[in-house]
Amino acid sequence: MSKVLLIGCGHMGSALIMSWLNLKSYSFTVVDPYNFNKLKNKLKHKKIDLLNKVPTQKKMKTFDIIIFAVKPQIATDVLNDYVNFELKKNIVIGSIIAGKNINFFKKRIKNANQFVRIMPNMPALVRNGVSCFVSNSHLSLNNKKKLNELFLTVGKTIWLKSESQIDKATAVSGSGPGYIFTLIHAFEKAAEKLGFSKNQSQDLIHSTILGSIYLMQETKKKPEELAIQIAVEGGTTEAGIKNLKNNNIDKIIYKTFMAAYNRAKILSKKN
């Protein structure tokens, strides 16, 4: 049985640990002094060893996987509590901390040589997320398989080749739900301006977006192909799409991704 230590259990950490509970070949320890009292109730009767302080050296030597899931602002302080531990020879150190690169962990945790950065996104909370990974060259196939298995419980997994790619993934899939929610809100406001009530606007927009995603998945057609299919010449959809294109929708989205990517690069340099 593989033993996993999760350090930090906020929104994303909680989503992960609750999804992992059904994996019978793993056991879990959670360390979170900040949320300990809240977690005591949430994880009551679950097969989890919940701690409000750093584990002992004896316990640290038992873990096969350590995953850091704390806020970037406290990452350095938290890692300082783990720098001197003797660890298992083949341990893998994973991190879902935004903006902290592999070198950040290598410089601080000297007794490990397998490191992985992981970028899940918010839909992992409902097990429909996507998690992007990048590792250093020492990651074993066995540890890669274990991490993949853990994160498949909250959605899709994608393995990338470089840390620059994970900064780009942060801008696309990591931040992506934020853009989608912003667009949905804009759709709702526009529908209200047309005269629909708030509830009607939400029903119209949410059902339309969900239905469109399901249609694309079911038909396996490309989005541009479906758009052309709906946009009958001289019709209403064509008029709306022309307005989007005239206002350079492609450029707006690209600039949105680039703004987030440039910010991710700046955060990475602060390690």
Side-chain angles (χ1 to χ4, degrees):
M1 180 173 284
S2 296
K3 294 189 174 183
V4 179
L5 172 62
L6 178 66
I7 301 169
C9 198
H11 290 303
M12 190 59 70
S14 294
L16 293 173
I17 201 70
M18 296 306 290
S19 298
W20 291 344
L21 290 175
N22 294 326
L23 296 171
K24 294 179 181 174
S25 55
Y26 297 83
S27 66
F28 301 97
T29 299
V30 173
V31 178
D32 194 329
Y34 303 99
N35 296 306
F36 181 76
N37 290 328
K38 183 169 67 175
L39 290 168
K40 259 199 314 187
N41 295 323
K42 185 173 184 178
L43 302 178
K44 196 175 182 181
H45 306 308
K46 307 293 183 186
K47 293 180 180 178
I48 294 171
D49 187 8
L50 178 62
L51 305 176
N52 64 355
K53 60 182 179 181
V54 177
T56 62
Q57 168 61 76
K58 183 179 179 181
K59 193 165 182 65
M60 286 297 295
K61 193 77 185 285
T62 67
F63 296 117
D64 301 286
I65 299 169
I66 298 176
I67 295 176
F68 288 90
V70 300
K71 293 178 181 178
Q73 301 93 312
I74 64 169
T76 300
D77 290 338
V78 171
L79 255 73
N80 284 342
D81 290 332
Y82 293 86
V83 293
N84 295 318
F85 281 116
E86 188 180 346
L87 304 170
K88 264 191 176 180
K89 184 179 178 182
N90 292 319
I91 195 166
V92 57
I93 308 296
S95 164
I96 66 168
I97 305 173
K100 298 300 180 186
N101 61 29
I102 286 172
N103 199 45
F104 174 82
F105 293 89
K106 282 176 67 177
K107 284 192 299 185
R108 290 164 176 83
I109 301 178
K110 306 291 187 182
N111 295 323
N113 65 4
Q114 298 185 52
F115 296 90
V116 181
R117 276 182 72 187
I118 308 152
M119 176 50 63
N121 64 2
M122 192 182 284
L125 295 170
V126 290
R127 299 181 186 181
N128 264 291
V130 57
S131 300
C132 295
F133 297 76
V134 66
S135 72
N136 65 345
S137 59
H138 297 292
L139 182 68
S140 70
L141 287 175
N142 190 41
N143 278 336
K144 181 176 181 178
K145 182 182 175 183
K146 287 177 182 177
L147 286 169
N148 207 58
E149 185 175 28
L150 287 170
F151 281 84
L152 277 172
T153 64
V154 293
K156 294 182 181 292
T157 59
I158 298 174
W159 288 82
L160 306 172
K161 292 182 179 179
S162 69
E163 288 207 68
S164 65
Q165 283 186 303
I166 208 146
D167 286 335
K168 291 172 184 175
T170 300
V172 178
S173 61
S175 299
Y179 317 145
I180 300 297
F181 297 140
T182 301
L183 287 170
I184 290 171
H185 184 53
F187 273 39
E188 290 173 356
K189 287 195 297 182
E192 286 179 52
K193 282 185 178 179
L194 283 175
F196 293 103
S197 71
K198 191 168 187 175
N199 287 338
Q200 287 174 327
S201 297
Q202 288 176 350
D203 285 342
L204 282 168
I205 301 307
H206 298 184
S207 296
T208 299
I209 290 171
L210 278 171
S212 299
I213 293 293
Y214 290 143
L215 178 63
M216 191 169 63
Q217 290 177 334
E218 194 74 26
T219 62
K220 293 183 171 57
K221 289 184 178 180
K222 294 177 181 178
E224 62 270 30
E225 187 181 351
L226 288 168
I228 290 168
Q229 193 175 321
I230 295 167
V232 177
E233 188 175 348
T236 58
T237 308
E238 184 190 55
I241 290 174
K242 276 184 179 178
N243 184 69
L244 286 172
K245 289 183 174 179
N246 288 340
N247 283 283
N248 218 331
I249 183 69
D250 292 346
K251 187 175 180 180
I252 290 169
I253 298 301
Y254 176 70
K255 286 176 75 174
T256 299
F257 285 172
M258 283 305 299
Y261 173 47
N262 288 333
R263 183 60 183 162
K265 287 192 293 182
I266 290 168
L267 290 172
S268 292
K269 287 175 183 176
K270 292 181 178 180
N271 292 297

